[in-house]
Amino acid sequence: MTYALRSSASVLAGIAFFTICSAVSASAEDLQFSIYGGYQTAPHSGVDLSDGTHFTAGWEGKSFGSPPYYGGRVTWWLENFNKPNWGISLDYTHDKVYADDDTLAKTGWSHFEFTDGLNLLTVNGLYRFQDPSRRWTPYLGAGIGVNIPHVEVIRPEGKTWAYEFGGVTLQAQAGVDFKVTERWSTFVEYKGTYSRIDVPIDNGVDLKTNIFTNAVNVGVSFHW
């Protein structure tokens, strides 16, 4: 089971991207491929265990530590449907959070992280404010998807170190794309996510928490 989840987390985005590309191959000129990185944080969140334990976790993003925060997406703009300002994207984000020192001291746990990714995969609707007279284009987006976190918990009762299906993720974003050439552009954006996480840990105990992330992304896009 753990191996299957690990495989899913590592190739899920690639499979989904390939599926979208195949489905819209007749309209390939409307595709946009993007990669990005940036600075990601997360506010405190309540953590509940099925054994009755409750505490508030303080989170650190450590965006540039290994493994880094990053993401990629494929966007299909609906040019051929006479709606050139509207698009659909499939977005994979490697968010991550580390419990801070105060949280570890309070719980007695030595390790509590989702740092080989919260691994968010979302489908989003996008709207861009195009103007042919300028090279920059603002855009907005929102979507829904799933999260597959790498659950890392070491506590006196036991150890958990595995990919698990966490639950539903919601996403919102707003940014500006700047056209460099006919095929290439750069962008800066804000992205916020909400992930509902319900995963098993050691000794038959379930862990629940709701994680919000805030990120400022900088990326590059190739327009097919």
Side-chain angles (χ1 to χ4, degrees), residues 4 15 27 30 56 60 63 72 76 87 116 122 133 149-150 153-154 167 204:
I15 292 173
S27 304
D30 303 329
T56 298
E60 298 177 352
S63 305
W76 178 30
D116 204 6
T122 59
S133 67
H150 190 259
V153 175
I154 302 176

Side-chain angles (χ1 to χ4, degrees), residues 2-17 70 92 94 116-121 148-150 163:
T2 299
Y3 175 78
L5 284 169
R6 182 180 294 112
S7 299
S8 297
S10 61
V11 303
L12 191 55
I15 292 173
F17 287 179
Y70 64 90
Y92 168 76
H94 184 270
D116 204 6
L118 287 177
N119 297 307
L120 314 181
L121 185 64
I148 303 177
H150 190 259
Y163 288 96

Side-chain angles (χ1 to χ4, degrees), residues 149-161:
H150 190 259
V151 183
E152 303 177 19
V153 175
I154 302 176
R155 60 185 191 137
E157 294 83 354
K159 175 180 178 179
T160 306
W161 204 273

